[in-house]
Amino acid sequence: MKKSSFVAMVLGTVSIVLFALGMCMALIPEWNAFRPGIIFGCVGLLLGIITLVVWRKMEHKEPIHISGKNVLTVIVGVVGALTLGVGMCFSMAWGKMAVGVVIGLVGIIVLLCLIPLTKGIKD
C-alpha cells in the first residue's frame, strides 16, 4: 500500500466518523447535544476536505478545478442520496413500505446516472 493511500484512508476514516457522530448528536433528541453535534459534523467535513487536498498533493495531482460538469455531478449525487434516504425513511420509520420502495428505487436510479455522467458512454 502506498503511503498516500494509507494517509488518505486514515484521515478519511477519522473524518467520516466525526461527521457521522456529529450528525447523530445533532439529530437524536435524546442525546440533547445539538450544538456539539453541529461542531463535530463541521470538523468532520473540514477534515474530509483537508484529506482530499493532502491526498492529491501526495499523488502529485493538480488541484480540482470547479467546472459545470463537477457541479452537476455533485448535485446529482446529493439528490440521489437524499432520495434514497427519504425512501428508506418511508419504509423503515414511517411504515409506508410500498411508497418507500418506489422512492428508494428512484434514488438508486439517480445514483446510477452518475456512472455515465462521470465516465461517459463509449462504443
Side-chain angles (χ1 to χ4, degrees):
M1 174 179 271
K2 291 173 30 177
K3 187 162 84 171
S4 62
S5 298
F6 180 73
V7 169
M9 180 181 66
V10 170
L11 287 174
T13 301
V14 171
S15 69
I16 289 171
V17 167
L18 284 174
F19 180 75
L21 180 63
M23 292 301 98
C24 288
M25 290 169 68
L27 297 174
I28 298 176
E30 290 85 10
W31 289 13
N32 199 19
F34 182 79
R35 243 182 226 163
I38 296 297
I39 293 170
F40 268 65
C42 290
V43 169
L45 279 177
L46 182 64
L47 188 58
I49 293 169
I50 291 170
T51 300
L52 181 66
V53 171
V54 167
W55 178 76
R56 289 188 72 81
K57 190 166 214 146
M58 289 178 80
E59 289 287 319
H60 305 294
K61 295 186 176 191
E62 293 181 21
I64 296 174
H65 300 288
I66 298 175
S67 67
K69 183 179 178 184
N70 289 347
V71 172
L72 179 65
T73 302
V74 169
I75 290 172
V76 169
V78 168
V79 167
L82 287 174
T83 307
L84 179 59
V86 167
M88 291 174 67
C89 287
F90 266 94
S91 296
M92 296 189 296
W94 299 328
K96 299 183 189 235
M97 184 64 72
V99 176
V101 169
V102 170
I103 294 173
L105 285 174
V106 169
I108 291 171
I109 291 169
V110 171
L111 289 172
L112 285 174
C113 290
L114 285 171
I115 297 170
L117 184 63
T118 56
K119 298 292 183 183
I121 298 174
K122 299 179 176 101
D123 288 331

